[in-house]
Amino acid sequence: MTEAYNFESIRVLIFDVDGVFTDHQMLVTDDGQFLRTMSTRDGYAIKRAIEAGIQMAVITGGTSIGVEKRFRGLGIDIIHSGIHQKGVVFEALLKEEGWSPAEVLYIGDDIPDIECIEMAGIGACPKDSVPEVLAASDFISDKNGGDDCVRDLIERILGARGLW
């Protein structure tokens, strides 16, 4: 039940990318480039959340100049790419930024995200996440990855403050 979650206490969002902002599939070009699609609605929600004072970071196993440019263009400046031990980076961010785990919502969809999901005040995932992540998460969006699940969470967080 979503009513049990204190979304109003969330001040920081930390995201995985593939399977959260995307539908977990990639197009591969003949020259080996990986192409992804992302929801513009998620992008709009990120801008609204930043305007409302929500801080954000990305911890992703992938590396993509295009993905990094997209997030920087939305106003997310803390981006850690090529990370396979996400929990180590999560803990370092807490210390560097002075964030309390209780004020952080982490959203991921696959096994490398479980450690961060368990450390965050609210660990979240899209509804099409792998079974292990579904079991570890506090909150499961009713949206799939790449299908506005980021917006779903941001609407809940800002809505809890009367800002959506």
Side-chain angles (χ1 to χ4, degrees), residues 48-153:
R48 289 271 309 261
I50 290 171
E51 289 169 3
I54 303 290
Q55 295 178 292
M56 299 188 190
V58 170
I59 304 173
T60 179
T63 55
S64 166
I65 293 170
V67 168
E68 186 170 326
K69 284 182 179 180
R70 170 71 174 148
F71 289 123
R72 290 199 189 283
L74 292 172
I76 300 174
D77 294 322
I78 302 172
I79 302 168
H80 293 273
S81 300
I83 305 300
H84 302 290
Q85 299 295 322
K86 294 182 178 185
V88 173
V89 173
F90 184 95
E91 287 181 327
L93 280 173
L94 294 178
K95 289 178 185 164
E96 291 167 13
E97 301 296 327
W99 296 334
S100 163
E103 65 186 357
V104 175
L105 183 146
Y106 181 93
I107 180 170
D109 74 303
D110 209 344
I111 290 170
D113 299 303
I114 292 174
E115 189 174 7
C116 296
I117 286 169
E118 291 175 343
M119 287 190 285
I122 298 177
C125 69
K127 76 175 182 179
D128 62 341
S129 298
V130 298
E132 296 89 343
V133 169
L134 292 168
S137 294
D138 301 307
F139 177 80
I140 301 168
S141 172
D142 62 356
K143 305 283 187 180
N144 288 333
D147 188 28
D148 305 333
C149 72
V150 171
R151 182 174 177 138
D152 175 42
L153 286 167

Side-chain angles (χ1 to χ4, degrees), residues 20-35:
V20 173
F21 284 95
T22 73
D23 67 0
H24 70 342
Q25 297 190 29
M26 288 187 221
L27 299 173
V28 181
T29 65
D30 287 341
D31 64 354
Q33 295 291 332
F34 299 114
L35 305 175

